Amino acid sequence: MSGSPKYSQAELERQRQEKLEANRRRQAELEAKSRQEAAEKERKRQLEARRQEILTQLQNLATQIKKQSDSIYPEAWQKLQQKEQTLKQQIPNVTLVNQFSSIEQQIQEIAQKWQEAKQQKWRHEEEAKRQEEIERQQLALEDSDRTLQTIQTDAQKFDPQGLSSVQKSLNQVKKLLLEGNPVPVRQPLQTTQKAIAQLTQSVGQHKQAWQQRKNQAEQDLGTIQAIITGIKADEVINRWQGNDIETLLTLEQQTEKAIALENFEETANLLNQVNTTQAEIIEKANQAQLKADQRDYIADSIAETLQEMGFSLVYRQPEYAEHPASAIILGAATNSGKSISVSVPVEGEVFYDIEGYSKQTLAAVGGGSAAVCDEAEGVITEMHEVLAEQFGVKMGELNWEGKDPNRQLRQADSLPKNPSNSLRRF
């Protein structure tokens, strides 16, 4: 037998292979549960953060209404207080983030009712002071102007053309009113008031639709963040596919940018990409972990077999400690000074390095000579038999470079593709 490394194929019998796969599935279920728990924790954090945000909005509005209570009628103030208290009682019972959209809309309605109540009291007080028609027109004009100012910011965003048209009409009414004749003011004033009411309704509808799209986009972002949190909490994924998490982080950044640019429709597609990428990462990590489990089982089986054959295990260590896919290197020796080293990779040939066994040189086919070591070959062959019988590990035929073909019971399936990376001593 030559002094080159020995190698053979390692294959698990079906029963043990299925056992390993079953173990991996059970472990994957535990890992999935861990991811789900991490994601659920993140969803709860988002829920509580949103709850506090909504509660703060409501409290701020209630404080403003209380400070300016004299600007509205007591009856209106009491109604606003009742609505505020009702919402305040609902907030602790919300269990889903998207349910806050309805509460937030009701808060906006309270704010709108407050504005309307202030407008109402202001208008009534002004009407009481003004008895003449011109005074009523002036009041109506100011009322329209104040209403327009209330929605101006939103109108500039959601209906700038409608805002511009209403402002022109309003300015025309102001010019007519300055002339002191109420008659020509009546129709333009009514038209302008109607246009403002239509603009207010249009802007409100556009804003509500915009808010719904924004809320959905932010919900998509929250789902993406929860997924990433779960992935980061998975040790198996971090071990094998840690670099792929950057892809998810990039998608998260793209989602945040889409929301910032108000491209809300893009977030659903980005969420789909995150789900697809997550599934691919999990599948790759599980496959890599299964191969590592197979490697460890084979290495443990070889170590136990060598000990049963009279060897003492000297070391068991990864070839590259920093890489999870590293081959496992086993070293064992007898009291007589004979030793064997075994390299077990995650896939590919198992290599042997034998020392302390006598060698002899025999004539090789085609001339020349070939080194053989029947004693060492016998030890490895015996180990293969024990591995198959006790552990279900089926090792292929023992091969080495320069092996005399006449000594083979059958043709070797393959030779190492890169012998320079294998163990060399024999």
Side-chain angles (χ1 to χ4, degrees):
M1 182 179 293
S2 71
S4 63
K6 313 309 181 288
Y7 52 90
S8 62
Q9 292 286 345
E11 180 181 352
L12 299 181
E13 66 179 11
R14 182 177 180 182
Q15 182 177 1
R16 285 177 169 79
Q17 176 69 21
E18 291 176 347
K19 182 178 180 180
L20 281 178
E21 292 176 350
N23 289 338
R24 177 89 293 271
R25 286 194 296 271
R26 287 193 295 271
Q27 188 63 32
E29 291 175 356
L30 294 176
E31 294 158 0
K33 181 178 179 181
S34 177
R35 292 193 302 273
Q36 291 172 358
E37 291 174 349
E40 181 61 24
K41 183 177 180 181
E42 174 61 17
R43 282 191 288 272
K44 289 181 179 179
R45 185 197 66 77
Q46 294 177 6
L47 176 65
E48 294 306 316
R50 184 63 169 152
R51 191 191 313 280
Q52 187 58 46
E53 179 185 347
I54 293 298
L55 184 60
T56 300
Q57 289 183 24
L58 183 59
Q59 290 173 340
N60 290 341
L61 178 59
T63 300
Q64 293 178 25
I65 294 175
K66 185 176 181 180
K67 287 181 178 180
Q68 302 181 37
S69 59
D70 58 347
S71 65
I72 60 177
Y73 290 120
E75 303 91 307
W77 185 75
Q78 290 177 357
K79 289 181 180 180
L80 293 177
Q81 263 197 327
Q82 291 174 354
K83 291 182 179 180
E84 183 263 336
Q85 289 298 322
T86 299
L87 285 183
K88 192 173 183 180
Q89 293 173 359
Q90 292 177 3
I91 292 174
N93 299 324
V94 175
T95 58
L96 297 175
V97 172
N98 57 10
Q99 292 176 345
F100 283 117
S101 297
S102 175
I103 294 179
E104 188 175 45
Q105 183 176 351
Q106 293 180 63
I107 293 175
Q108 294 174 358
E109 290 175 358
I110 291 176
Q112 180 63 31
K113 292 293 183 183
W114 179 41
Q115 294 296 333
E116 291 174 356
K118 290 195 295 183
Q119 287 289 105
Q120 182 185 41
K121 186 177 181 181
W122 175 86
R123 183 169 57 253
H124 288 170
E125 290 174 347
E126 290 298 317
E127 286 177 347
K129 298 176 182 177
R130 301 179 184 185
Q131 299 298 321
E132 300 296 331
E133 183 180 5
I134 188 64
E135 294 178 340
R136 293 195 299 271
Q137 290 178 344
Q138 180 65 41
L139 175 61
L141 180 62
E142 293 178 8
D143 186 17
S144 298
D145 201 7
R146 287 165 63 90
T147 301
L148 190 60
Q149 291 177 12
T150 301
I151 64 168
Q152 185 168 356
T153 300
D154 288 337
Q156 288 174 343
K157 179 180 181 65
F158 298 110
D159 193 356
Q161 292 182 348
L163 175 63
S164 176
S165 176
V166 168
Q167 286 175 331
K168 290 180 180 178
S169 298
L170 194 61
N171 290 333
Q172 183 63 32
V173 172
K174 290 178 180 179
K175 291 180 180 179
L176 292 172
L177 192 60
L178 290 174
E179 295 176 0
N181 184 358
V183 177
V185 177
R186 294 171 184 170
Q187 186 60 44
L189 179 57
Q190 292 178 359
T191 302
T192 300
Q193 288 175 320
K194 183 178 180 179
I196 291 176
Q198 292 175 342
L199 179 64
T200 301
Q201 181 180 7
S202 172
V203 169
Q205 291 173 346
H206 281 86
K207 184 176 181 179
Q208 182 178 358
W210 174 88
Q211 188 65 51
Q212 289 175 348
R213 295 197 305 272
K214 181 175 182 289
N215 291 343
Q216 182 59 53
E218 290 176 342
Q219 184 175 340
D220 291 342
L221 175 60
T223 301
I224 290 173
Q225 291 171 337
I227 289 173
I228 293 175
T229 299
I231 288 291
K232 287 182 176 179
D234 192 313
E235 293 183 0
V236 171
I237 290 177
N238 278 279
R239 182 181 305 123
W240 299 103
Q241 303 298 133
N243 292 335
D244 289 346
I245 296 178
E246 290 297 327
T247 301
L248 296 177
L249 294 176
T250 298
L251 291 172
E252 178 188 11
Q253 293 172 356
Q254 292 175 1
T255 306
E256 292 173 344
K257 183 177 180 181
I259 293 175
L261 296 175
E262 298 188 6
N263 298 327
F264 302 133
E265 289 72 16
E266 294 182 11
T267 62
N269 179 56
L270 291 167
L271 176 57
N272 289 335
Q273 294 182 48
V274 168
N275 285 326
T276 300
T277 303
Q278 175 192 214
E280 293 173 352
I281 290 174
I282 293 172
E283 176 64 21
K284 290 178 181 179
N286 283 333
Q287 289 297 323
Q289 186 61 47
L290 177 59
K291 290 181 180 180
D293 293 343
Q294 292 171 341
R295 173 202 62 194
D296 293 344
Y297 178 82
I298 293 171
D300 292 342
S301 300
I302 291 174
E304 189 171 339
T305 299
L306 288 172
Q307 290 174 323
E308 290 181 6
M309 294 171 61
F311 287 83
S312 296
L313 193 63
V314 179
Y315 56 85
R316 183 191 188 281
Q317 61 190 36
E319 184 175 4
Y320 300 102
E322 70 281 1
H323 202 296
S326 168
I328 298 297
I329 306 298
L330 299 173
T334 64
N335 293 331
S336 62
K338 297 177 180 180
S339 64
I340 180 172
S341 295
V342 186
S343 174
V344 184
V346 290
E347 55 185 342
E349 291 88 356
V350 176
F351 285 88
Y352 306 96
D353 183 11
I354 305 294
E355 289 187 356
Y357 292 89
S358 59
K359 305 180 182 70
Q360 55 181 313
T361 302
L362 298 179
V365 177
S369 62
V372 298
C373 183
D374 292 332
E375 185 181 4
E377 183 178 3
V379 170
I380 298 176
T381 301
E382 178 184 353
M383 182 181 71
H384 286 187
E385 293 173 354
V386 176
L387 287 171
E389 180 179 350
Q390 296 187 17
F391 300 97
V393 180
K394 298 178 181 179
M395 306 296 292
E397 180 184 356
L398 182 63
N399 292 297
W400 63 88
E401 292 182 1
K403 181 178 181 180
D404 187 344
N406 288 340
R407 300 182 78 255
Q408 293 181 257
L409 297 179
R410 60 183 176 83
Q411 183 65 31
D413 294 333
S414 64
L415 290 176
K417 296 180 179 179
N418 189 3
S420 62
N421 292 334
S422 64
L423 298 171
R424 294 184 173 276
R425 292 182 298 171
F426 175 68

